[in-house]
Amino acid sequence: MSGRAAGEQVTIADVARHAGVAASTVSYVLSGKRAISATTRSRVLASVRALGYHPNAGARALASRKANVIALVLPLRTGMQVPVVMRFATAVVTTARRYDHDVLLVTADEGPSGLHRIAGSALVDGVLLMDVELEDSRVPLLRELSLPGVLIGHPADSTGLACVDLDFRRAGELCVEHLAGAGHRRIALLGAPAAVYDRGTGFAHRTRRGVLAAAGRLGVEAVTRPCEENPAAVRRDLTALLADHPDITGLVVQNESAVEPVLSTLPTLGRRVPQDVSVVAVCPDELAEPSALTCVPVPAEEVGRQAVTLLMRRLRDEPVPEVTLLEPRLTVRDTSR
Amino acid sequence: MSGRAAGEQVTIADVARHAGVAASTVSYVLSGKRAISATTRSRVLASVRALGYHPNAGARALASRKANVIALVLPLRTGMQVPVVMRFATAVVTTARRYDHDVLLVTADEGPSGLHRIAGSALVDGVLLMDVELEDSRVPLLRELSLPGVLIGHPADSTGLACVDLDFRRAGELCVEHLAGAGHRRIALLGAPAAVYDRGTGFAHRTRRGVLAAAGRLGVEAVTRPCEENPAAVRRDLTALLADHPDITGLVVQNESAVEPVLSTLPTLGRRVPQDVSVVAVCPDELAEPSALTCVPVPAEEVGRQAVTLLMRRLRDEPVPEVTLLEPRLTVRDTSR
DNA sequence: GTCGGTCGTCGAAGCGCTTCGACGCCCCGG
DNA sequence: CCGGGGCGTCGAAGCGCTTCGACGACCGAC
């Protein structure tokens, strides 16, 4: 670059000298916090470009008490929903950059002490918490630390927090409306594992509620049952379900790991898809698309974007809604009619 | 917390006052850069704990000219092995924390200017570059910026850099050696999507080269072909492959999303596994293990750990080897004989 | 007993930036 | 023609930390 050995920092003083103004003027040009004449501004900007100036992040953070960095706390266990996490992370980084922020990657296994450290050292201005459990130990901590945070998913008590999530109730409704619209009168929800309902996990309950509500409203007979996660169990549960209710023609699946087994098991039970049974899932689109599965995708990108946007608003001390639910969309493919 | 309103920073001066020493003494206790008497040390440490002190990251970075942060530049394109990336990222964060560093997530789509910004603002001390292509534009940039960096994968010219990677060439050889040892004389490599080869991504090319080299050496006839990522395409490519070369008895698969489709398609083409066709994959072990697939696992954790370790060494200006290749191992399971 | 050398601690000087108050200057109203 | 008020710019004071040089105190060697 111009005139400086590589590795030498170009400072604001260099820019000021080059432009023939005071350092504070450069700062004001860059931040826009005071009026600056057009001529001065353009002169300064020219110098900035000529010297390849980038403000020193540490100095800026120290003086302004803003790191311009947010933390993304990712779940420790990386199971099935890995691709979703990835897409989500991408959306977060991209969106954060639009707000001139960077993203610090924190793994949940550092636990609460990680949050303490990050808050205490002013490394970040705010936190995005993924994989929030109903009773999450990090949630009260977040409140206590008065660290601005946004949660993905939502805990039992979301008072004073900001949560973003897909509107799973509406997602359940959408599935049923789609099936009912195609003439189905007897349907079933093959849901999350029983343990998930027992824990009272939000998304599972809300989906079920949505399914039942829409079914009632539309005069559709609906049964719901939990479903375990391993392929053998899925096969067993599905077989039992169809034995108990042989006249079911519509299936809503909300269980990532059940999708494939369901699709491969149905034909062996004498049910062609979609001629005999229509299948609709609430699952990541990556999972559905290769199988041409009709589904309500979990919009990872949109959630990421929203989460960052909300966090930025909180950082500016603007009020934000406690709960933000994203409107689900249904993508019709080949497994339903 | 003790005695401070939430959100108030505890500074080194607070600790010094509380312990009855000078601020610099606190600093030296914490950094260990000068000898401190045992009594003073323990008094200071007690105060640190009592007040819940965490050094301000910005101030520390400014004064020490070290951010204690490294950047992880992730590829976020198609054709990437997503779960591998995830595990890799986890390993990087965990290892970095062991060296008292944090990890900044940077997406490759910010491109070279992102590296410029990060280097110029002293946001990070060093960079981990994933998904390095044979001719990668970021590589010369890294050299020019004199930003300490470690590459995952390796470019054509690795002079003056540090690269870590699985020895994919050797992985390819291993697969062929295994098949040849079992008596197979006609084999095929079902590889990454064509776009990946076109991009000049190292691992794909090197694996292919290894396969061909070992085949030549061992008198095995080998054909290679790219393979797209969706199940339908895999089925099509595989069918075409076996139509063109019906006498193939060994298959090397290097494509995460092709593994399942290949295994489920072969029987429909009248090929039992492993009686008629042996299948060996280069893929994450998570993917291979449930299907009892013989494979050469990609050791994501180990690569991540090594990469961070190398970067830390570079940050201390210690010499590091230009290329670090991890020795692949072949895990024999049920799909080959 | 005296002198040099550690050892342990301190104070002060920045690191590069933001921000606050001050201060010309120019324009307008009286 | 003079005074008041923006507007545009400047200088200086930190932000919280590290690090350098200085300096007592204490020790062993002579």
Side-chain angles (χ1 to χ4, degrees):
Chain A
M1 313 291 316
S2 358
R4 283 256 166 185
E8 288 272 334
Q9 259 260 74
V10 178
T11 74
I12 201 173
D14 298 326
V15 176
R17 205 172 309 124
H18 187 272
V21 298
S24 50
T25 301
V26 176
S27 178
Y28 287 124
V29 166
L30 262 24
S31 71
K33 291 193 179 173
R34 283 203 181 171
I36 295 288
S37 68
T39 53
T40 304
R41 180 200 318 294
S42 61
R43 202 142 39 86
V44 167
L45 290 178
S47 300
V48 164
R49 241 166 285 130
L51 300 179
Y53 170 69
H54 290 274
N56 179 292
R60 192 210 273 271
L62 181 56
S64 68
R65 319 185 127 274
K66 287 191 171 64
N68 271 38
V69 176
I70 63 177
L72 175 60
V73 184
L74 287 188
L76 154 75
R77 11 178 259 108
T78 54
M80 316 290 291
Q81 76 281 40
V82 167
V84 181
V85 172
M86 231 23 239
R87 291 197 332 190
F88 174 79
T90 310
V92 165
V93 172
T94 308
T95 311
R97 285 301 310 140
R98 258 205 269 299
Y99 288 97
D100 195 30
H101 281 242
D102 278 284
V103 176
L104 199 77
L105 190 58
V106 180
T107 55
D109 57 344
E110 226 192 314
S113 77
L115 282 184
H116 262 119
R117 181 176 62 83
I118 282 178
S121 63
L123 236 186
V124 303
D125 304 318
V127 174
L128 250 41
L129 234 52
M130 281 202 74
D131 197 30
V132 173
E133 298 164 9
L134 264 190
E135 300 296 339
D136 200 303
S137 64
R138 300 166 299 176
V139 169
L141 183 57
L142 214 56
R143 287 204 187 87
E144 180 195 334
L145 291 174
S146 69
L147 229 192
V150 171
L151 315 186
I152 316 305
H154 48 278
D157 174 17
S158 62
T159 322
L161 295 169
C163 315
V164 186
D165 213 348
L166 182 66
D167 187 344
F168 280 101
R169 187 182 210 284
R170 184 80 197 101
E173 291 177 1
L174 266 184
C175 293
V176 175
E177 287 166 10
H178 170 65
L179 291 173
H184 297 272
R185 287 294 164 261
R186 291 160 193 279
I187 67 170
L189 166 67
L190 207 60
V196 172
Y197 291 97
D198 293 345
R199 279 208 309 263
T201 299
F203 78 89
H205 274 290
R206 288 195 207 97
T207 306
R208 179 159 65 181
R209 222 173 297 147
V211 164
L212 294 176
R217 176 158 40 82
L218 298 170
V220 169
E221 219 171 90
V223 301
T224 73
R225 41 170 97 188
C227 175
E228 297 311 308
E229 294 215 308
N230 68 81
V234 174
R235 178 177 302 255
R236 194 193 59 221
D237 292 348
L238 180 60
T239 306
L241 174 69
L242 288 177
D244 295 352
H245 308 273
D247 47 1
I248 278 174
T249 62
L251 211 48
V252 180
V253 180
Q254 178 182 37
N255 186 324
E256 286 189 18
S257 39
V259 167
E260 274 306 324
V262 162
L263 288 180
S264 65
T265 301
L266 279 173
T268 73
L269 297 175
R271 308 296 211 287
R272 290 163 305 165
V273 177
Q275 293 89 338
D276 302 320
V277 173
S278 284
V279 179
V280 183
V282 180
C283 75
D285 206 38
E286 282 83 355
L287 206 66
E289 195 267 321
S291 311
L293 177 67
T294 296
C295 74
V296 175
V298 179
E301 279 91 358
E302 181 58 19
V303 172
R305 237 177 287 134
Q306 280 281 353
V308 172
T309 306
L310 285 174
L311 184 53
M312 291 302 144
R313 216 170 279 160
R314 291 203 68 175
L315 292 185
R316 292 192 301 263
D317 271 326
E318 296 172 16
V320 301
E322 223 166 66
V323 176
T324 302
L325 290 182
L326 300 182
E327 186 66 19
R329 299 172 314 99
L330 181 88
T331 303
V332 179
R333 295 210 181 81
D334 303 348
T335 59
S336 68
R337 59 159 60 155
Chain B
M1 315 285 319
S2 0
R4 281 260 169 182
E8 288 273 332
Q9 259 260 81
V10 178
T11 74
I12 201 173
D14 297 326
V15 176
R17 206 171 309 124
H18 187 273
V21 298
S24 51
T25 300
V26 175
S27 178
Y28 285 125
V29 166
L30 261 24
S31 71
K33 293 193 176 173
R34 281 203 183 172
I36 295 288
S37 69
T39 53
T40 303
R41 179 200 317 294
S42 60
R43 203 142 37 87
V44 168
L45 290 179
S47 301
V48 164
R49 243 167 285 131
L51 301 179
Y53 169 70
H54 290 275
N56 178 291
R60 195 212 272 270
L62 181 56
S64 69
R65 321 185 127 274
K66 286 190 172 62
N68 271 37
V69 176
I70 63 176
L72 175 59
V73 184
L74 285 190
L76 295 154
R77 313 195 185 105
T78 58
M80 274 318 299
Q81 321 202 357
V82 175
V84 177
V85 170
M86 216 44 224
R87 293 197 331 187
F88 173 79
T90 308
V92 165
V93 172
T94 308
T95 311
R97 287 299 312 139
R98 257 205 269 299
Y99 287 97
D100 194 31
H101 281 242
D102 279 285
V103 176
L104 199 78
L105 190 56
V106 180
T107 55
D109 57 345
E110 224 192 317
S113 77
L115 282 183
H116 262 120
R117 182 176 61 84
I118 282 179
S121 63
L123 236 185
V124 303
D125 305 319
V127 173
L128 250 40
L129 233 54
M130 280 201 75
D131 193 31
V132 174
E133 298 167 6
L134 278 181
E135 299 296 339
D136 199 303
S137 64
R138 300 167 299 179
V139 168
L141 183 57
L142 214 57
R143 287 204 186 89
E144 180 196 332
L145 291 174
S146 68
L147 227 193
V150 170
L151 316 185
I152 316 304
H154 54 277
D157 174 17
S158 61
T159 322
L161 297 168
C163 314
V164 188
D165 211 349
L166 179 67
D167 189 342
F168 279 101
R169 187 180 211 288
R170 185 80 197 99
E173 290 178 2
L174 266 184
C175 293
V176 175
E177 287 166 10
H178 170 65
L179 291 173
H184 297 273
R185 286 294 164 260
R186 290 161 194 280
I187 67 171
L189 166 67
L190 208 58
V196 171
Y197 290 97
D198 293 345
R199 246 181 9 228
T201 302
F203 76 87
H205 280 284
R206 291 202 177 83
T207 307
R208 179 157 66 180
R209 224 172 294 148
V211 164
L212 294 176
R217 175 157 42 78
L218 299 169
V220 170
E221 221 171 90
V223 302
T224 73
R225 56 167 86 188
C227 176
E228 297 312 308
E229 294 214 308
N230 69 81
V234 174
R235 178 177 302 254
R236 194 194 57 221
D237 290 349
L238 180 60
T239 307
L241 174 68
L242 289 177
D244 294 351
H245 308 274
D247 46 1
I248 279 174
T249 62
L251 212 47
V252 180
V253 179
Q254 178 181 37
N255 186 324
E256 283 189 23
S257 39
V259 167
E260 274 307 324
V262 162
L263 289 180
S264 67
T265 301
L266 279 173
T268 72
L269 297 174
R271 308 299 213 287
R272 290 164 303 166
V273 176
Q275 293 89 336
D276 302 320
V277 173
S278 284
V279 179
V280 183
V282 180
C283 75
D285 207 37
E286 282 83 358
L287 206 67
E289 196 266 321
S291 311
L293 178 67
T294 296
C295 76
V296 175
V298 179
E301 280 90 358
E302 180 59 19
V303 173
R305 238 176 286 134
Q306 280 279 354
V308 173
T309 306
L310 284 174
L311 184 52
M312 291 301 144
R313 214 170 280 161
R314 290 203 67 174
L315 293 184
R316 292 193 300 264
D317 271 326
E318 297 171 16
V320 302
E322 224 167 66
V323 176
T324 304
L325 288 181
L326 301 182
E327 186 67 19
R329 299 170 312 98
L330 181 88
T331 303
V332 179
R333 294 209 181 83
D334 302 349
T335 59
S336 67
R337 61 162 54 156

